Amino acid sequence: MRRAIFTLVVFIFVSFQISFAQEKATIRGFVYDSKAKYPLVNANIWIEGTNRGDVSDFKGYFEIKNLAPGNYNLVVSYVGYKQTKEQIQLKSGEVKTVEVYLEELPYFSVEEIVVLGRPAETYNQAEIGGREIMKKAPRDLGDFVRNFSNTSAIKKGGYALDPVVRGTKFDQINVQIDNGVKIEAACPNRMDPPTSHVQAEDLEKIEILKGPYALRYGPNIGGVMNFVLAKPKRFEKFSIGGNIETGYESNWNGKVARLTLFGGQRLFDFRIAGGVKDYKNYKDGDGNEIQSSFKIRDWTGKFGVNLGDNHRVQFSIRETYARDVLYPALPMDGRKDDSRIISIDYGARNLNSLINSVNLKAYYSKVYHLMDNEFKPTRLNVDAVTEANTKVTGGRGEAGLIFGNNLLYVGFDYAKVEKDGFRTRKMKTGPMAGKTFIDTVWQNSYVSNFGIFGEFRTGIYGFNLMLSARYDVNYAQARTPAPSFAKLFGNLSSKFHNFSFSGGLDKAITPNVQLTILAGSAKRSPNISERFINFLPIGIDNYDYVGNPSIKPETNNSIDLILKSKVIGGIFKGDVFYYYVKNFISAKIRSDLTPKNMGVRGVKQFVNIDRAKFFGFELGYTSTFSRTFGFDLNIYQTKAWDAVTGEALPEIPPFEAKTVVYYNFFDGKIRPELTIRAVARKSDVSTSFGETSTPGFVLVNFLVDIVYFKFADISVGVNNLFDKAYYEHLNRKIRTSGIPIYEPGRNFFINITMKVGE
């Protein structure tokens, strides 16, 4: 018996050793783009029929260990490329090295500005897309962009929040739609920033490129924000489908309904969508009602023709109608805001060995804005109505050229912004009772900007190198100025020649560590408000603002140092940045000028600060140790100050830490998710701007995302779980009380998308 047991143990031991020896085979290799031969980062590699696999690192490298000898099918895939499969035969103990070259799909997008995987890590880029947008029930995109690290928004009411990236805002950020389309606010108070003309339900993703480095996409000093509208689906044979979306938010008594139709075949395709939103006033965590109601109707259409595999023409149209939007922080409310965006695109890919891509775009956008003081206390003294119009005409052209392992983009862009409008004041009390005054708002002004740009990318000695430059000619004029404004300033036109440049260098120090350095000097010319606004409150504070036709462009001299690493079962990204801004545009009190509006504290004029400084950091960690459980952690802060006086600059968000913890049930088809935000007290404030310290807070949100059913996606959750009474530092103050606008209290929501033909 003992001999039998001994023999069995020996047999098992020997079998184990043989088996163990046989498992020591390894497949390793690199994944490259087949045309330009650059490495593809984060490509998926796996053994067919198993759960064994890897993700390529910064050099395109992957490795799958401990494989038994035998025949395997190695599958490699990457977004935007054809999936490939290679047969691999392994011998015992063999280390097989392969190189995999993936071909780009002929189906391409004319909307996106960044193609991941190319040597484009020299952009500091971030994106949120697909289900990540829809599951969080964003009623307003300006509010939703707060989900990005070091990105906040200025709040004047419950709708149309204005994005802030690293403390830069308004035209310091290049906000665009579908890679180049511009739309301009008509309201002097920015009731209608660009984000208000796009609805979250119509988005495919949001791209943010932080810092003034991506000069291909237009002049900016703070970054690029691109809202990519969902594009038509592609079919080989004629098909048609669609979805119906509905949602509800309890605190706002907010209702959403939307219908989408899509279809086509290989030659042509289309996507048409439209919807309505109806939101009431919400209550804060203390039960106080905040004037914040709004109504939105919108529709959009995209129609494409595919002229072969490598050519595409696409026509897009979008219209948005906002009604009865309340702004407690502003002197008026938005009665009507109608916008239209029309664009046509031509795109081509892989034309020959030299020309990798060609993109041409032409567009037109316009906004009609009507606001009044019907529900404001000033209505007792004056009836005030403002009508304003804005239109933008523009275009963009770009070619991507390949020389060996070098990639060169060259092109141009153009935009002409025109604004006009009038305010009518009917006096009801005082010595002017019965009289009517008509004030010109924008003085029939325009700004045109024509730019040419180039961007060169190459690999050298293991480094990825990016060099970029652009030259802009910017011209502005007030065509029909108010006599008082013309008398005050004389010359009402200005012209600037701006040169901007940037560079980036990144290197995979080890297979798991990448270091990136970005540096640049970029210029932004002043906008129409900063040049020509005519004695009006513009929603910043309780002052009349007047433009300055002699104001100079801002110049941001910047540097970013970025470290990415695979570490401790996850991916770490750290970024430290510094901005040195010459001629920073701010405003100062003009005690020698008399305000035109009742109840304001005086007059401020836009001026240049000699120099301002920004310093900040962004730290992030994403866990990858488990497919079931995971979390993201982000910590960030920006500090900014006037380098001459030492005073803090206004509207700079405080220190913040945010973590998202999730668990995947049924292969991720049901995913509960807990978000915790911890925001620090903000004490370094601009007293001359009228800022006050802001208390810190901790906020908890919870949602469950359900994609279990083939016919429907569902998200349900609660924001501000513990009904916290709080406000963000960038929230403006209620005009009647001087108290900051508090955020909504506990708010339950549900979103349902019914799908047909997907």
Side-chain angles (χ1 to χ4, degrees):
M1 184 69 178
R2 289 181 180 178
R3 181 177 296 180
I5 295 174
F6 176 77
T7 303
L8 179 61
V9 170
V10 170
F11 175 77
I12 292 173
F13 178 76
V14 171
S15 298
F16 176 78
Q17 291 297 315
I18 294 172
S19 175
F20 182 78
Q22 289 177 336
E23 288 180 357
K24 288 187 176 180
T26 298
I27 301 175
R28 67 184 183 186
F30 298 84
V31 184
Y32 298 104
D33 174 276
S34 64
K35 194 174 182 94
K37 306 301 188 291
Y38 44 68
L40 295 178
V41 183
N42 293 329
N44 292 305
I45 306 99
W46 71 94
I47 303 295
E48 188 177 46
T50 75
N51 61 357
R52 303 293 306 282
D54 196 11
V55 175
S56 61
D57 65 18
F58 305 120
K59 292 183 177 180
Y61 179 79
F62 68 90
E63 188 174 76
I64 306 174
K65 297 181 178 180
N66 297 325
L67 296 171
N71 297 321
Y72 295 95
N73 287 326
L74 184 71
V75 185
V76 183
S77 72
Y78 190 82
V79 175
Y81 286 76
K82 293 180 181 178
Q83 179 176 292
T84 188
K85 185 185 300 184
E86 293 198 10
Q87 290 185 344
I88 304 292
Q89 184 177 29
L90 288 178
K91 298 178 182 178
S92 178
E94 182 180 11
V95 177
K96 177 84 73 174
T97 301
V98 297
E99 291 185 354
V100 181
Y101 294 89
L102 298 184
E103 296 181 13
E104 276 190 287
L105 287 169
Y107 302 147
F108 55 88
S109 169
V110 298
E111 295 90 354
E112 299 167 81
I113 64 177
V114 174
V115 179
L116 296 176
R118 293 174 178 259
E121 296 300 317
T122 42
Y123 285 156
N124 185 3
Q125 62 198 52
E127 68 174 55
I128 295 179
R131 191 65 192 158
E132 287 298 310
I133 297 176
M134 290 310 305
K135 72 182 184 182
K136 295 185 178 179
R139 76 192 68 85
D140 172 65
L141 283 180
D143 187 19
F144 180 74
V145 298
R146 291 170 167 175
N147 288 282
F148 286 91
S149 295
N150 220 348
T151 302
S152 189
I154 295 170
K155 182 170 184 168
K156 304 174 285 287
Y159 180 71
L161 279 67
D162 230 335
V164 175
V165 179
R166 292 179 168 180
T168 58
K169 54 184 180 291
F170 306 150
D171 284 6
Q172 293 174 330
I173 310 167
N174 182 358
V175 179
Q176 53 188 254
I177 301 167
D178 283 348
N179 186 12
V181 175
K182 305 281 289 182
I183 187 165
E184 185 78 9
C187 174
N189 293 291
R190 289 185 70 89
M191 292 180 183
D192 54 345
T195 51
S196 69
H197 303 289
V198 178
Q199 300 303 308
E201 296 82 0
D202 211 28
L203 275 183
E204 183 162 303
K205 67 177 179 176
I206 303 171
E207 299 173 314
I208 295 183
L209 310 182
K210 296 178 182 177
Y213 309 114
L215 300 178
R216 288 165 54 196
Y217 307 111
N220 74 91
I221 67 166
V224 178
M225 185 175 292
N226 184 36
F227 293 93
V228 181
L229 300 181
K231 51 183 175 285
K233 296 181 181 294
R234 303 296 299 271
F235 300 97
E236 288 296 321
K237 297 180 180 180
F238 182 78
S239 301
I240 192 167
N243 54 62
I244 299 174
E245 301 170 55
T246 184
Y248 178 76
E249 292 191 58
S250 63
N251 195 329
W252 301 69
N253 192 21
K255 306 176 189 69
V256 178
R258 192 168 193 84
L259 173 65
T260 301
L261 296 174
F262 53 81
Q265 42 106 309
R266 188 175 182 84
L267 177 62
F268 69 91
D269 47 61
F270 66 88
R271 183 184 188 277
I272 303 173
V276 296
K277 292 183 178 180
D278 188 353
Y279 280 72
K280 310 302 182 186
N281 296 335
Y282 69 76
K283 292 183 179 180
D284 65 21
D286 288 331
N288 301 308
E289 185 172 295
I290 306 298
Q291 300 295 308
S292 54
S293 63
F294 62 89
K295 298 176 182 178
I296 305 294
R297 292 183 295 112
D298 78 292
W299 78 276
T300 186
K302 286 189 175 182
F303 309 90
V305 178
N306 305 300
L307 307 174
D309 288 339
N310 297 334
H311 301 266
R312 177 173 175 83
V313 177
Q314 181 172 284
F315 173 78
S316 304
I317 182 169
R318 175 168 183 79
E319 293 184 341
T320 304
Y321 308 94
R323 294 291 184 271
D324 302 328
V325 185
L326 301 186
Y327 295 93
L330 300 179
M332 292 186 181
D333 295 314
R335 193 62 48 220
K336 178 187 293 187
D337 192 272
D338 296 344
S339 66
R340 175 180 295 166
I341 304 170
I342 299 173
S343 66
I344 186 166
D345 290 86
Y346 166 74
R349 293 291 186 276
N350 302 321
L351 297 183
N352 53 48
S353 60
L354 172 64
I355 304 175
N356 181 58
S357 63
V358 173
N359 288 286
L360 301 174
K361 179 188 294 288
Y363 67 89
Y364 172 81
S365 66
K366 69 174 185 177
V367 180
Y368 168 73
H369 183 78
L370 174 67
M371 59 183 180
D372 60 35
N373 68 337
E374 181 177 354
F375 299 114
K376 302 294 185 182
T378 55
R379 184 64 182 270
L380 297 174
N381 302 314
V382 59
D383 285 334
V385 177
T386 298
E387 290 187 78
N389 296 275
T390 296
K391 61 181 180 179
V392 184
T393 307
R396 184 177 188 274
E398 178 187 87
L401 310 176
I402 292 180
F403 305 89
N405 291 328
N406 306 315
L407 184 61
L408 174 65
Y409 294 101
V410 292
F412 71 92
D413 50 46
Y414 172 78
K416 183 178 182 180
V417 179
E418 301 174 82
K419 292 189 176 186
D420 201 8
F422 298 90
R423 180 183 59 176
T424 302
R425 294 178 293 156
K426 296 180 180 179
M427 311 307 293
K428 300 168 72 173
T429 61
M432 297 295 181
K435 292 187 177 181
T436 298
F437 297 91
I438 298 178
D439 309 306
T440 178
V441 176
W442 298 117
Q443 307 188 91
N444 192 16
S445 302
Y446 77 92
V447 172
S448 67
N449 193 96
F450 176 79
I452 56 174
F453 59 81
E455 181 178 287
F456 177 72
R457 293 180 176 273
T458 190
I460 181 171
Y461 298 114
F463 290 86
N464 284 324
L465 173 67
M466 181 273 288
L467 298 173
S468 179
R470 67 176 294 120
Y471 174 73
D472 293 285
V473 180
N474 185 279
Y475 183 78
Q477 183 179 18
R479 289 178 286 203
T480 55
S484 59
F485 191 94
K487 183 179 179 180
L488 184 63
F489 296 109
N491 182 29
L492 297 180
S493 64
S494 57
K495 187 175 185 178
F496 300 109
H497 296 265
N498 300 329
F499 178 69
S500 304
F501 61 90
S502 68
L505 193 67
D506 70 50
K507 180 176 176 59
I509 307 300
T510 73
N512 293 324
V513 178
Q514 177 176 310
L515 182 66
T516 301
I517 299 175
L518 302 170
S521 179
K523 288 190 174 184
R524 177 197 72 96
S525 294
N527 60 29
I528 289 179
S529 288
E530 293 159 343
R531 281 161 154 156
F532 302 128
I533 194 69
N534 183 29
F535 289 89
L536 281 172
I538 58 174
I540 296 178
D541 50 27
N542 196 19
Y543 281 84
D544 272 357
Y545 274 72
V546 63
N548 182 352
S550 300
I551 200 166
K552 300 176 183 177
E554 299 173 300
T555 303
N556 184 6
N557 303 290
S558 62
I559 186 168
D560 272 64
L561 181 63
I562 304 170
L563 177 69
K564 294 180 182 179
S565 177
K566 291 183 178 180
V567 63
I568 318 176
I571 298 174
F572 168 82
K573 179 180 179 181
D575 185 351
V576 178
F577 65 91
Y578 175 76
Y579 295 168
Y580 181 83
V581 185
K582 293 286 292 180
N583 295 317
F584 183 81
I585 296 177
S586 183
K588 72 174 184 179
I589 296 173
R590 287 283 302 265
S591 56
D592 58 320
L593 297 179
T594 303
K596 293 185 177 181
N597 293 279
M598 301 174 61
V600 299
R601 299 174 60 184
V603 177
K604 284 187 177 181
Q605 184 182 25
F606 286 106
V607 296
N608 292 111
I609 293 176
D610 183 60
R611 55 191 184 275
K613 296 181 180 180
F614 292 68
F615 175 78
F617 65 87
E618 296 155 10
L619 305 177
Y621 174 83
T622 300
S623 67
T624 59
F625 55 80
S626 171
R627 295 184 180 182
T628 302
F629 166 79
F631 66 92
D632 296 334
L633 175 64
N634 290 279
I635 303 172
Y636 41 90
Q637 184 177 30
T638 297
K639 286 185 173 292
W641 62 95
D642 183 328
V644 177
T645 67
E647 183 184 22
L649 293 181
E651 298 188 312
I652 305 297
F655 173 87
E656 181 172 337
K658 181 171 66 175
T659 185
V660 180
V661 182
Y662 60 87
Y663 193 91
N664 290 318
F665 292 96
F666 304 107
D667 231 4
K669 294 180 180 180
I670 298 179
R671 173 168 160 160
E673 183 177 297
L674 184 73
T675 301
I676 303 173
R677 285 184 64 212
V679 179
R681 173 183 173 83
K682 178 70 173 178
S683 55
D684 54 329
V685 296
S686 173
T687 54
S688 63
F689 184 79
E691 278 191 317
T692 55
S693 296
T694 303
F697 60 87
V698 176
L699 189 69
V700 179
N701 300 331
F702 177 75
L703 69 85
V704 179
D705 188 35
I706 303 170
V707 293
Y708 186 84
F709 308 103
K710 291 184 178 181
F711 59 87
D713 294 338
I714 303 170
S715 65
V716 59
V718 54
N719 291 326
N720 196 354
L721 180 64
F722 298 110
D723 208 18
K724 176 76 175 179
Y726 75 102
Y727 60 90
E728 306 278 358
H729 180 68
L730 269 58
N731 289 8
R732 297 276 170 81
K733 295 179 180 179
I734 297 175
R735 200 168 180 84
T736 55
S737 65
I739 299 173
I741 300 173
Y742 275 71
E743 293 291 325
R746 186 183 296 115
N747 181 39
F748 295 94
F749 66 86
I750 183 170
N751 281 324
I752 303 174
T753 302
M754 306 294 294
K755 301 178 290 184
V756 178
E758 290 199 35

